[in-house]
Amino acid sequence: METIRLGNYSIPQTAALAPMAGVADRAYRILCKEHGAAALVSEMISAKGLCYGDRKTAQLCTILPEERPMGLQLFGSEPDFMAKAVTIVKQFEPDWIDINMGCPVPKVVGTGAGSALMKNIDLAEKVTEAAVKASNIPVTVKFRTGWDSDSINAVEFAKAIENAGASAIAVHGRTKMQMYSGKADWNIIKQVKQAVSIPVIGNGDVISFDSCKKMYDKTGCDLVMIGRGSYGNPFVFCEIDSMIKGLTYTPPTLEERMETMLYHIRLILKYSFGKPPEIAIRDARKHAAWYMSGCYGAASFRARCYQLSSYEEAEVMANDFIKLQNEYSDLK
């Protein structure tokens, strides 16, 4: 199997888990890694928050052995703060440092960070250069195709980031204005790959082995990264890993899906940073609902998911969901 080199790791060209704030927490990352994700990246960490000693921000930096290889993702728009933040995260021994220059969320963009940096290539280059100079491990940058459809500048942006010393780049095939809607433009990812010599990671609209293979074939990217395609579907990593290795892949049964959902909830409760179970279970609600997407009666069960107040309720709900699907199957 072909690999790409990042730091001390040779990462297989299967699929990595994308960093997703509010979704890809430790429980989610471990689950996806167990299902075959090639690499992980943390949720966004504020460079300035780190510099000011924010305890919650520091919690996001901890990496468990079972999560490796894993990068820590920082966001910020001030080179000095970014350099200091890179120095601070060294104590957590990340395998690489990623800089978020693609987040479209207003509270991030409003600070001049995230995808706002795509409107200021010179500053983006300086932020990257500051991080590279302060780091003794690879620095990567994740960005989008541009700010909007009238300012697609990913190629120019990628060249500047490479010039600043980045070891690899990840491109989400959407503009900032698209947010997460519409279709990802893989042609731009291809153009970026052709314009730089460092590894390019492609992100956007990969939900299966077929779409993963198509992204590799169409863009020539060095690694595929999956975000929303993994919602309620960590199995996608196993599918891709198995198929690329030439192994037989068997999709999970309904019972296996529900057991994975319950296991996911147990992981959330386990890695809840001291939250009492009745509070931590709230973090599991959206995840539980995702496991039921596309199934008969999913809408009514989503409502139940968003009312979950205990693990025991989740067990009952999973059994009820299996019963409903079986009854529906018998009627067809």
Side-chain angles (χ1 to χ4, degrees):
M1 180 185 292
E2 294 186 18
T3 63
I4 68 165
R5 190 75 183 175
L6 194 55
N8 294 323
Y9 289 91
S10 291
I11 300 174
Q13 289 183 306
T14 52
L17 175 66
M20 295 178 285
V23 174
D25 57 11
R26 174 161 292 119
Y28 199 95
R29 295 193 301 267
I30 288 176
L31 180 68
C32 290
K33 185 73 187 313
E34 289 177 350
H35 279 79
L40 308 173
V41 184
S42 72
E43 297 178 84
M44 284 192 305
I45 301 162
S46 167
K48 188 170 285 188
L50 269 178
C51 294
Y52 285 132
D54 180 75
R55 187 171 61 181
K56 183 178 179 181
T57 298
Q59 284 179 338
L60 293 172
C61 297
T62 302
I63 300 175
L64 299 184
E66 55 266 42
E67 293 180 280
R68 297 186 186 276
M70 178 173 155
L72 292 179
Q73 188 184 71
L74 303 175
F75 74 93
S77 59
E78 297 163 89
D80 290 346
F81 276 111
M82 185 60 68
K84 185 177 179 181
V86 167
T87 301
I88 293 171
V89 299
K90 286 180 183 178
Q91 65 185 295
F92 298 97
E93 300 182 345
D95 298 309
W96 65 90
I97 292 170
D98 185 58
I99 304 176
N100 184 310
M101 296 190 183
C103 179
V105 177
K107 69 177 181 180
V108 173
V109 173
T111 66
S115 55
L117 284 166
M118 298 210 70
K119 296 198 295 183
N120 192 337
I121 294 180
D122 288 343
L123 179 57
E125 188 171 0
K126 290 175 182 176
V127 169
T128 303
E129 186 175 17
V132 170
K133 286 182 177 179
S135 180
N136 59 350
I137 56 175
V139 172
T140 64
V141 178
K142 189 170 188 288
F143 55 94
R144 289 184 169 236
T145 58
W147 179 260
D148 56 30
S149 59
D150 294 323
S151 56
I152 303 296
N153 62 346
V155 171
E156 180 186 0
F157 196 88
K159 289 179 178 178
I161 297 304
E162 179 181 36
N163 185 61
S167 296
I169 52 178
V171 186
H172 182 164
R174 288 180 172 83
T175 65
K176 181 272 177 191
M177 296 305 291
Q178 278 183 279
M179 298 290 285
Y180 302 100
S181 65
K183 188 176 181 180
D185 190 340
W186 291 1
N187 287 321
I188 302 299
I189 300 174
K190 179 180 180 179
Q191 291 171 23
V192 169
K193 173 58 185 172
Q194 294 173 338
V196 299
S197 59
I198 56 177
V200 173
I201 301 167
N203 176 218
D205 294 350
V206 174
I207 59 173
S208 64
F209 167 73
D210 286 343
S211 53
C212 180
K213 185 176 184 303
K214 285 178 183 176
M215 177 175 272
Y216 275 123
D217 292 344
K218 185 166 184 176
T219 69
C221 68
D222 300 280
L223 184 65
V224 166
M225 181 173 274
I226 300 177
R228 289 175 299 146
S230 67
Y231 282 9
N233 185 32
F235 318 103
V236 68
F237 295 106
C238 182
E239 177 191 0
I240 292 168
D241 185 66
S242 298
M243 298 291 279
I244 287 180
K245 290 177 178 176
L247 304 175
T248 299
Y249 172 72
T250 303
T253 63
L254 174 63
E255 289 76 13
E256 288 169 339
R257 289 185 67 87
M258 290 299 98
E259 179 48 46
T260 301
M261 178 195 77
L262 292 173
Y263 174 58
H264 190 170
I265 294 175
R266 293 196 296 272
L267 286 175
I268 290 172
L269 295 173
K270 179 179 179 179
Y271 297 111
S272 59
F273 290 121
K275 294 180 185 176
E278 61 272 18
I279 300 299
I281 193 69
R282 297 175 187 173
D283 295 332
R285 291 172 176 173
K286 62 177 179 286
H287 295 283
W290 288 332
Y291 282 92
M292 299 176 177
S293 295
C295 295
Y296 175 74
S300 62
F301 272 85
R302 278 198 297 272
R304 285 180 64 176
C305 289
Y306 283 100
Q307 296 299 319
L308 283 178
S309 59
S310 70
Y311 178 75
E312 291 71 26
E313 284 184 15
E315 288 185 307
V316 172
M317 184 180 66
N319 288 329
D320 288 348
F321 190 71
I322 292 172
K323 181 180 178 181
L324 176 66
Q325 302 311 308
N326 289 337
E327 289 174 348
Y328 177 66
S329 180
D330 291 340
L331 290 174
K332 291 195 295 184

